[in-house]
Amino acid sequence: MGDMANSSIEFHPKPQQQREMPHVGGFGCTLAELRNLMELRGVEALQKIQEAYGDVSGLCRRLKTSPTEGLADNTNDLEKRRQIYGQNFIPPKQPKTFLQLVWEALQDVTLIILEVAAIVSLGLSFYAPPGEESEACGNVSGGAEDEGEAEAGWIEGAAILLSVICVVLVTAFNDWSKEKQFRGLQSRIEQEQKFTVIRNGQLLQVPVAALVVGDIAQVKYGDLLPADGVLIQGNDLKIDESSLTGESDHVRKSADKDPMLLSGTHVMEGSGRMVVTAVGVNSQTGIIFTLLGAGGEEEEKKDKKAKKQDGAVAMEMQPLKSAEGGEMEEREKKKANVPKKEKSVLQGKLTKLAVQIGKAGLVMSAITVIILVLYFVIETFVVDGRVWLAECTPVYVQYFVKFFIIGVTVLVVAVPEGLPLAVTISLAYSVKKMMKDNNLVRHLDACETMGNATAICSDKTGTLTTNRMTVVQSYLGDTHYKEIPAPSALTPKILDLLVHAISINSAYTTKILPPEKEGALPRQVGNKTECALLGFVLDLKRDFQPVREQIPEDKLYKVYTFNSVRKSMSTVIRMPDGGFRLFSKGASEILLKKCTNILNSNGELRGFRPRDRDDMVKKIIEPMACDGLRTICIAYRDFSAIQEPDWDNENEVVGELTCIAVVGIEDPVRPEVPEAIRKCQRAGITVRMVTGDNINTARAIAAKCGIIHPGEDFLCLEGKEFNRRIRNEKGEIEQERLDKVWPKLRVLARSSPTDKHTLVKGIIDSTTGEQRQVVAVTGDGTNDGPALKKADVGFAMGIAGTDVAKEASDIILTDDNFTSIVKAVMWGRNVYDSISKFLQFQLTVNVVAVIVAFTGACITQDSPLKAVQMLWVNLIMDTFASLALATEPPTESLLLRKPYGRDKPLISRTMMKNILGHAVYQLTIIFTLLFVGELFFDIDSGRNAPLHSPPSEHYTIIFNTFVMMQLFNEINARKIHGERNVFDGIFSNPIFCTIVLGTFGIQIVIVQFGGKPFSCSPLSTEQWLWCLFVGVGELVWGQVIATIPTSQLKCLKEAGHGPGKDEMTDEELAEGEEEIDHAERELRRGQILWFRGLNRIQTQMEVVSTFKRSGSFQGAVRRRSSVLSQLHDVTNLSTPTHVTLSAAKPTSAAGNPGGESIP
């Protein structure tokens, strides 16, 4: 797709050229004409079509296409159309270049401070004070007299600059590879999107990008229109145009009233055929995209204008924090006021923790600098009684710069900039691996939220079952057949009616094709229930194709398409005698209520009274349902030619029917599902089944899957009963009533989409349990959209799912299989654990490094760990450790524990015990080495060395020991639940092994050959062995710590709690202040540990919900919306220092949509 972007300019010629040569390429319409036509609506559009072309078929003739046969599938013609009318492709925004990413990484505050310090240090080192006066400045430059040492003063500054460059490059590279990954993911989602067109009279599935002007496209329920077009013929077509107009009411489309179909709108009901009139940048959505500058930066001025018109889209078009219009975006966000999901739990906890740790580091580093400066000033000017001489100024300034650098280094080590990196790496790694497990993740944080899931509301059809339906029982002519009847056993009249009723009254796009391989099952194309019925026709040794050829789709007089309210579908045809016949099929209990007659064994009508109906339900339908079959009733009705009924009065028309047959359709449970559900239950996740089937079928399937077990206390409700229980007298839903129902509810049958949404919302908003429920939902139909959006994680079906469902979802299951959800849970929990492992390691290093630098500086006026060494340690523990620990593969044992829940702190008691335990060990060793190390090793003491003195062995040993301890502690950090065997499965993670060994190798090089830049002097083998010995001691000490029972340590507090309730006002949000400042302002006083406290950090906008609800344009946006939102999420993850705050829904403070409890 990328190469198209580069050449996209050629495809839409400038309007001037078109005026000169009116009918390009022999087509009867110019691009401009068609563009103008598509801007009209309703009656105006019809008039224009009649004036210019006569009618729609006239338009088709001008475009050289046939309304029934479509285009001839010849490549030259298609290419010519692309040349003249453009491709159905909107060039994506240019990705950021590597240099831009480098520039962004440089914006980090701590790095800027370091750069400044390093440059000052460099500048001063080149200024040599006059030699003879140096005595007057005291013993300040005593050690600098060694030849060559004075010249080496610049090295430290240079080394700091170098390490800053390293950090920046690593960060930039990470961001760059991430963006590349998501673009790849995106193009994969784009290529998977296909659309049905007619070419050469054949139905073809072509990729959306291959559509051209003049194509005849089939549109049906659940489609997202990929291009603009004019309706040729439609059945009961209703479109949701809210993404373009903001009007939520569905718009009726028909060839004689309003034939204009626009790209980016959703088909909510019905079906039809349209001729494509505008694609890509010329379609309505494309025009808007061009305004938004998606097509290139040269439209920045327009861009600003477009932003004013439509804040939400404009803002989403630049989720990568583009340079222009920051404040603008903030204001627009406020205006757009879009409801959206909260920040993922983990991200909230981490941002919180990082802020607190950073603040503590800031305080520590400030104190360090102040103490060093005071000590120096008092010693030099008070104790020694010297006078500040002008020529000594540079020398003193050099000292101050050195102190400043030490302070900054303490800060650098204290700020865990590796946290966001670890999260990003962990999530990106998981997302990549989840693709292999059939999970296509559209929003990064969904992957981690899944690990906390406490409830899964699953569809039945296709997720728990195979979605390969077959008719296994039937009731025809007063007889209940337990298997397929022989055609000879049926009266010809019944058989004929049945075949016609099934063949005509089903979408003509549904068919059964011969198997692809020998011995395989026939392929079912289209709606699976209809496939089962067509299969039934074939089993009765008849064929549906001749019937359809005899009555083609455009001869159908009226179609009432299936929707979730009707739960039935009806088709009217005109009979040869001028009368009408209506065929209907639908859920048996609904349709039988409308039947007044039934066909007996001879094919004659006999009355069908309510009493007969109850009989039939008891004797036929319930037994079928108890075998787990779906029951479908097939019926018909004749109207005389004398007076035509009012077709719009549907209740009148579809009534007084004659029942032809009731069939039982089996959809077998997928063999792997019961095991997957057992795993979920063991992992503390409740599985609920929400289905449109009747209650007996649902209960039978639920029992087969293991969702319900005999003897347990559970509820199976129908939608009606469910609503009766949760609504008060006025018909409003009450949370208290819902709270009585949902904990025991396992099966919700005959449910409408609203019921599903109500249930999900009710569970999420409930405050009864000890923690807020995290709900995952699966869905495939258009009607599941609201529930998928409301859920914490929405799973859409990749195969059976409609575009609308995929649009609303967070993860797409590419194999439609429930077991993939269990895999997602495993990966989600693994992300959480990986972050905890990294935290445990990181915090140990932080605590130790900060304390060592601080006390060392206070007692010996010099940090035992030099700036460059600190930066190296920082690199090990931030970048490398996050890579090593964040890529641990998941294990089955993750499914043996209960979910963590939203309020569980990131750092558990066990982890706190490990962090403090190891910190004690490391500090003891380092301070021992610092104060008595020179005696033990019999070397010169490194303490109180003057400025620019050569590196001492003493301090090198301290540095080396410190790094060795970190390396071995990294192995300890692999387990966070107090397990003893820390080597368990270490070889299944090659990245970890590579990084540990690699770090060790580099450390040897630094110590032996690092010299002045790294302040190291080479060590002997014996000294090395001691360092290693102390390092290995970490592993032994780890076992000692594991022996101490956590339950005894009541004094330990957990840290890093989840975000608490929302305490924000609209004004605060509108100011667009930085997330970090906000967290600081919200920190509560009187905390026991410096990283406690609760605060909700608001999240990025979800692109999908923006477009869905804010009346902005969705169109082709949907194809890129997911990548935008992912990139947006990630940008915020990887740049903790400048995360902007997105607007929240103003009511959130009052309503607290999350409904989570403050621990």
Side-chain angles (χ1 to χ4, degrees):
M1 311 248 8
D3 46 7
M4 287 196 212
N6 305 339
S7 52
S8 62
I9 321 312
E10 305 153 21
F11 297 129
H12 29 278
K14 302 231 167 20
Q16 292 86 353
Q17 299 167 349
Q18 286 162 3
R19 287 194 195 100
E20 291 155 21
M21 34 183 210
H23 298 312
V24 222
F27 294 113
C29 324
T30 62
L31 182 59
E33 269 175 44
L34 290 174
R35 263 176 85 149
N36 296 338
L37 172 65
M38 290 321 291
E39 276 163 17
L40 303 173
R41 303 275 178 278
V43 188
E44 292 178 351
L46 272 173
Q47 281 174 347
K48 173 86 176 149
I49 290 175
Q50 278 157 3
E51 285 164 21
Y53 312 108
D55 60 358
V56 180
S57 38
L59 174 63
C60 291
R61 278 195 298 279
R62 292 268 194 102
L63 288 172
K64 297 195 170 168
T65 178
S66 141
T68 48
E69 298 286 305
L71 293 174
D73 204 355
N74 103 35
T75 34
N76 296 345
D77 177 47
L78 297 179
E79 196 42 54
K80 191 160 133 198
R81 287 172 191 273
R82 288 197 186 103
Q83 291 289 337
I84 294 168
Y85 297 116
Q87 306 205 19
N88 196 21
F89 168 74
I90 295 174
K93 200 164 183 182
Q94 285 300 310
K96 294 208 162 164
T97 57
F98 188 69
L99 286 175
Q100 279 169 307
L101 291 169
V102 168
W103 176 244
E104 270 180 20
L106 277 170
Q107 310 297 310
D108 192 343
V109 185
T110 40
L111 288 182
I112 292 174
I113 298 175
L114 266 183
E115 287 155 23
V116 172
I119 290 167
V120 172
S121 157
L122 264 180
L124 288 169
S125 66
F126 290 123
Y127 174 83
E132 59 277 13
E133 269 105 316
S134 68
E135 283 313 303
C137 306
N139 60 354
V140 192
S141 48
E145 301 314 296
D146 306 343
E147 307 82 81
E149 284 300 352
E151 284 77 77
W154 60 273
I155 291 183
E156 188 170 22
I160 294 178
L161 279 183
L162 201 74
S163 35
V164 166
I165 291 170
C166 270
V167 173
V168 166
L169 288 179
V170 169
T171 318
F173 180 74
N174 270 317
D175 287 351
W176 179 77
S177 58
K178 213 156 46 204
E179 187 160 330
K180 195 159 145 272
Q181 238 177 24
F182 286 126
R183 293 216 172 233
L185 184 73
Q186 200 39 37
S187 59
R188 180 177 159 163
I189 294 178
E190 273 174 23
Q191 282 151 14
E192 279 186 355
Q193 204 205 347
K194 295 242 192 327
F195 208 74
T196 314
V197 296
I198 303 174
R199 289 187 183 165
N200 282 339
Q202 296 288 320
L203 279 180
L204 293 179
Q205 291 270 330
V206 299
V208 166
L211 284 176
V212 294
V213 170
D215 256 327
I216 306 295
Q218 286 270 17
V219 296
K220 59 181 186 311
Y221 154 85
D223 281 344
L224 187 138
L225 299 181
D228 293 354
V230 179
L231 191 64
I232 299 173
Q233 169 264 325
N235 308 321
D236 201 12
L237 196 60
K238 286 194 184 151
I239 306 270
D240 171 9
E241 292 192 345
S242 61
S243 53
L244 284 181
T245 60
E247 297 297 321
S248 56
D249 294 342
H250 298 171
V251 187
R252 283 197 96 106
K253 296 283 181 185
S254 59
D256 50 358
K257 292 202 179 67
D258 180 3
M260 311 310 268
L261 301 178
L262 306 171
S263 57
T265 57
H266 290 115
V267 183
M268 299 315 271
E269 263 181 53
S271 59
R273 286 205 315 277
M274 70 169 187
V275 55
V276 176
T277 54
V279 293
V281 280
N282 302 308
S283 67
Q284 290 303 300
T285 313
I287 291 170
I288 289 138
F289 251 96
T290 324
L291 283 177
L292 288 175
E297 297 300 316
E298 67 275 9
E299 278 155 334
E300 231 151 78
K301 294 189 191 68
K302 278 193 211 164
D303 197 11
K304 286 275 198 294
K305 224 181 297 168
K307 264 196 203 158
K308 289 199 184 78
Q309 295 156 5
D310 191 334
V313 190
M315 182 196 73
E316 286 308 336
M317 283 314 300
Q318 299 147 340
L320 290 176
K321 290 226 275 308
S322 59
E324 75 258 10
E327 312 78 11
M328 186 86 188
E329 283 178 27
E330 292 302 329
R331 246 169 290 145
E332 294 299 349
K333 286 182 191 179
K334 188 181 178 189
K335 232 184 284 175
N337 163 21
V338 185
K340 55 190 189 355
K341 293 190 181 174
E342 308 152 16
K343 178 169 211 150
S344 80
V345 191
L346 189 61
Q347 239 173 304
K349 291 179 181 177
L350 281 176
T351 314
K352 189 72 196 30
L353 199 62
V355 167
Q356 292 164 327
I357 295 175
K359 283 176 68 178
L362 198 62
V363 173
M364 290 291 273
S365 62
I367 298 175
T368 313
V369 175
I370 292 165
I371 290 181
L372 285 171
V373 170
L374 284 178
Y375 195 102
F376 173 76
V377 169
I378 291 169
E379 175 150 24
T380 314
F381 300 122
V382 180
V383 182
D384 296 355
R386 289 215 164 75
V387 189
W388 184 302
L389 299 171
E391 58 270 26
C392 292
T393 305
V395 181
Y396 295 142
V397 171
Q398 250 175 315
Y399 262 97
F400 290 140
V401 169
K402 179 179 154 188
F403 299 150
F404 180 61
I405 289 179
I406 291 173
V408 173
T409 327
V410 173
L411 179 64
V412 171
V413 174
V415 173
E417 61 272 32
L419 269 186
L421 186 68
V423 181
T424 311
I425 290 177
S426 184
L427 286 174
Y429 171 76
S430 304
V431 165
K432 211 169 170 171
K433 292 284 192 217
M434 281 168 82
M435 295 279 277
K436 293 200 178 79
D437 284 338
N438 303 310
N439 284 292
L440 193 122
V441 181
R442 295 180 67 236
H443 299 129
L444 258 191
D445 53 4
C447 151
E448 160 252 317
T449 313
M450 210 39 222
N452 288 329
T454 53
I456 297 176
C457 296
S458 171
D459 266 7
K460 176 178 77 72
T461 312
T463 315
L464 299 173
T465 57
T466 55
N467 204 9
R468 206 194 149 77
M469 308 213 187
T470 39
V471 174
V472 287
Q473 296 188 21
S474 52
Y475 179 82
L476 286 154
D478 288 344
T479 325
H480 183 179
Y481 296 97
K482 290 287 173 99
E483 54 244 359
I484 304 288
S488 52
L490 301 175
T491 320
K493 179 182 174 191
I494 296 186
L495 191 55
D496 202 51
L497 266 171
L498 184 68
V499 171
H500 274 77
I502 291 175
S503 309
I504 293 168
N505 186 28
S506 56
Y508 277 33
T509 47
T510 303
K511 31 184 183 310
I512 293 188
L513 302 175
E516 287 179 334
K517 292 193 208 68
E518 278 295 306
L521 294 164
R523 279 182 298 157
Q524 298 187 338
V525 181
N527 181 311
K528 302 296 181 186
T529 312
E530 290 179 352
C531 285
L533 294 170
L534 293 174
F536 185 48
V537 170
L538 296 175
D539 288 339
L540 292 170
K541 308 284 181 281
R542 300 289 289 269
D543 192 2
F544 55 87
Q545 209 50 51
V547 181
R548 286 181 171 183
E549 278 158 14
Q550 184 192 340
I551 306 177
E553 195 168 7
D554 40 22
K555 292 265 170 41
L556 300 180
Y557 194 78
K558 172 90 181 136
V559 180
Y560 301 97
T561 48
F562 180 87
N563 67 22
S564 50
V565 182
R566 291 189 185 122
K567 290 212 188 297
S568 67
M569 170 179 179
S570 312
T571 305
V572 183
I573 55 169
R574 203 168 200 145
M575 301 301 281
D577 63 358
F580 299 94
R581 175 170 286 173
L582 167 125
F583 290 115
S584 197
K585 67 164 192 282
S588 54
E589 52 263 56
I590 290 170
L591 218 54
L592 283 176
K593 286 187 181 134
K594 299 182 177 174
C595 289
T596 49
N597 296 301
I598 188 165
L599 294 178
N600 67 11
S601 50
N602 302 327
E604 286 133 18
L605 302 190
R606 95 180 140 74
F608 186 68
R609 300 182 300 283
R611 201 178 67 231
D612 302 331
R613 190 176 71 235
D614 298 341
D615 248 15
M616 183 155 172
V617 167
K618 268 199 199 64
K619 293 192 179 133
I620 313 294
I621 291 173
E622 282 184 0
M624 281 188 187
C626 291
D627 292 340
L629 305 184
R630 292 176 66 172
T631 52
I632 301 275
C633 172
I634 299 166
Y636 79 105
R637 176 184 182 182
D638 284 330
F639 297 95
S640 65
I642 303 153
Q643 87 187 84
E644 190 172 332
D646 171 14
W647 298 115
D648 287 338
N649 184 352
E650 192 187 328
N651 288 349
E652 277 292 297
V653 176
V654 186
E656 300 183 19
L657 303 171
T658 303
C659 171
I660 306 172
V662 172
V663 295
I665 297 179
E666 181 187 43
D667 186 7
V669 171
R670 286 176 181 261
E672 63 275 23
V673 162
E675 171 60 16
I677 286 182
R678 223 185 58 243
K679 279 185 187 161
C680 280
Q681 287 162 343
R682 205 174 50 211
I685 301 169
T686 314
V687 182
R688 294 182 174 83
M689 183 162 103
V690 183
T691 173
D693 262 350
N694 81 33
I695 186 125
N696 297 327
T697 312
R699 194 185 277 125
I701 299 266
K704 281 184 194 165
C705 293
I707 291 177
I708 55 181
H709 301 286
E712 277 184 1
D713 183 15
F714 58 79
L715 282 174
C716 292
L717 296 179
E718 284 201 331
K720 277 207 187 81
E721 172 65 11
F722 173 68
N723 277 309
R724 198 184 58 69
R725 290 195 185 195
I726 62 170
R727 291 176 192 272
N728 59 16
E729 297 69 52
K730 294 187 192 137
E732 296 156 346
I733 298 169
E734 283 189 356
Q735 188 66 43
E736 302 84 79
R737 291 178 180 231
L738 238 169
D739 288 345
K740 291 197 185 84
V741 175
W742 73 256
K744 287 183 182 173
L745 184 69
R746 291 293 175 274
V747 175
L748 183 58
R750 280 280 171 249
S751 67
S752 67
T754 351
D755 294 341
K756 192 171 188 175
H757 181 256
T758 308
L759 175 66
V760 172
K761 183 174 183 306
I763 299 180
I764 289 180
D765 292 350
S766 168
T767 49
T768 47
E770 54 273 23
Q771 56 189 35
R772 138 140 156 58
Q773 297 275 319
V774 178
V775 185
V777 171
T778 68
D780 51 6
T782 305
N783 49 17
D784 292 326
L788 287 171
K789 241 197 189 77
K790 176 67 192 162
D792 295 288
V793 183
F795 285 92
M797 300 298 143
I799 303 167
T802 56
D803 292 344
V804 184
K806 290 180 187 170
E807 190 44 29
S809 69
D810 302 297
I811 297 180
I812 296 174
L813 293 178
T814 48
D815 63 347
D816 287 14
N817 192 337
F818 188 82
T819 42
S820 304
I821 299 178
V822 182
K823 294 257 178 56
V825 172
M826 237 162 75
W827 275 108
R829 292 187 171 190
N830 190 50
V831 168
Y832 212 92
D833 280 9
S834 298
I835 303 302
S836 296
K837 288 170 189 174
F838 172 68
L839 261 177
Q840 179 175 304
F841 175 69
Q842 165 108 43
L843 291 178
T844 314
V845 189
N846 271 5
V847 171
V848 176
V850 170
I851 294 179
V852 167
F854 177 68
T855 43
C858 298
I859 299 168
T860 66
Q861 290 83 65
D862 187 7
S863 166
L865 297 172
K866 299 288 183 290
V868 181
Q869 296 174 352
M870 287 275 215
L871 284 167
W872 164 236
V873 169
N874 203 35
L875 195 70
I876 298 177
M877 66 183 201
D878 274 0
T879 313
F880 294 160
S882 58
L883 257 175
L885 292 167
T887 52
E888 290 270 314
T891 56
E892 285 282 334
S893 60
L894 287 167
L895 292 175
L896 297 176
R897 62 170 174 77
K898 296 275 177 278
Y900 280 150
R902 293 181 95 78
D903 310 326
K904 173 154 187 326
L906 267 179
I907 301 170
S908 63
R909 273 228 179 96
T910 317
M911 287 168 61
M912 207 59 176
K913 177 184 74 175
N914 290 343
I915 292 170
L916 296 177
H918 287 295
V920 168
Y921 174 82
Q922 297 187 7
L923 286 171
T924 315
I925 297 282
I926 286 179
F927 283 136
T928 312
L929 286 175
L930 182 58
F931 295 114
V932 294
E934 69 271 28
L935 308 172
F936 178 75
F937 284 110
D938 189 24
I939 47 179
D940 296 336
S941 164
R943 294 195 299 281
N944 299 329
L947 202 63
H948 298 321
S949 55
S952 65
E953 282 186 355
H954 182 190
Y955 274 16
T956 308
I957 290 177
I958 295 178
F959 165 59
N960 198 20
T961 312
F962 182 67
V963 173
M964 287 304 120
M965 291 195 291
Q966 300 327 322
L967 275 184
F968 286 99
N969 196 28
E970 197 164 341
I971 300 175
N972 275 332
R974 292 184 68 245
K975 299 291 176 226
I976 48 175
H977 298 300
E979 298 94 330
R980 286 204 171 273
N981 182 5
V982 289
F983 291 102
D984 179 32
I986 194 165
F987 294 114
S988 63
N989 186 357
I991 302 183
F992 184 85
C993 304
T994 321
I995 284 181
V996 172
L997 294 173
T999 315
F1000 185 66
I1002 300 174
Q1003 178 65 17
I1004 295 178
V1005 174
I1006 288 178
V1007 171
Q1008 297 304 91
F1009 310 106
K1012 182 78 186 175
F1014 280 97
S1015 317
C1016 288
S1017 74
L1019 300 180
S1020 67
T1021 320
E1022 186 193 355
Q1023 289 165 336
W1024 264 101
L1025 287 174
W1026 274 109
C1027 294
L1028 266 176
F1029 170 73
V1030 173
V1032 177
E1034 267 289 343
L1035 294 175
V1036 182
W1037 183 250
Q1039 295 302 315
V1040 175
I1041 295 179
T1043 322
I1044 307 170
T1046 313
S1047 49
Q1048 303 298 305
L1049 302 168
K1050 289 277 184 287
C1051 53
L1052 286 184
K1053 287 286 180 289
E1054 301 133 329
H1057 280 270
K1061 286 214 194 262
D1062 203 355
E1063 304 107 351
M1064 287 188 165
T1065 63
D1066 308 351
E1067 297 79 59
E1068 280 175 354
L1069 292 172
E1071 284 156 16
E1073 76 278 296
E1074 300 234 310
E1075 193 167 61
I1076 302 286
D1077 304 345
H1078 183 79
E1080 290 185 64
R1081 219 168 350 95
E1082 285 298 305
L1083 280 180
R1084 309 254 192 1
R1085 308 291 167 267
Q1087 293 138 348
I1088 313 159
L1089 259 179
W1090 49 267
F1091 36 69
R1092 263 202 87 165
L1094 312 148
N1095 160 41
R1096 159 76 118 315
I1097 311 262
Q1098 289 297 32
T1099 166
Q1100 313 77 356
M1101 300 225 159
E1102 292 273 351
V1103 173
V1104 179
S1105 67
T1106 310
F1107 286 133
K1108 208 63 175 162
R1109 306 198 190 132
S1110 64
S1112 28
F1113 294 94
Q1114 188 156 12
V1117 175
R1118 82 165 273 290
R1119 278 180 243 141
R1120 299 226 297 289
S1121 62
S1122 58
V1123 74
L1124 293 181
S1125 73
Q1126 282 167 338
L1127 289 173
H1128 192 182
D1129 287 5
V1130 173
T1131 319
N1132 282 1
L1133 276 172
S1134 53
T1135 50
T1137 36
H1138 37 96
V1139 185
T1140 39
L1141 188 65
S1142 306
K1145 190 175 174 187
T1147 54
S1148 63
N1152 178 23
E1156 53 215 10
S1157 51
I1158 297 185

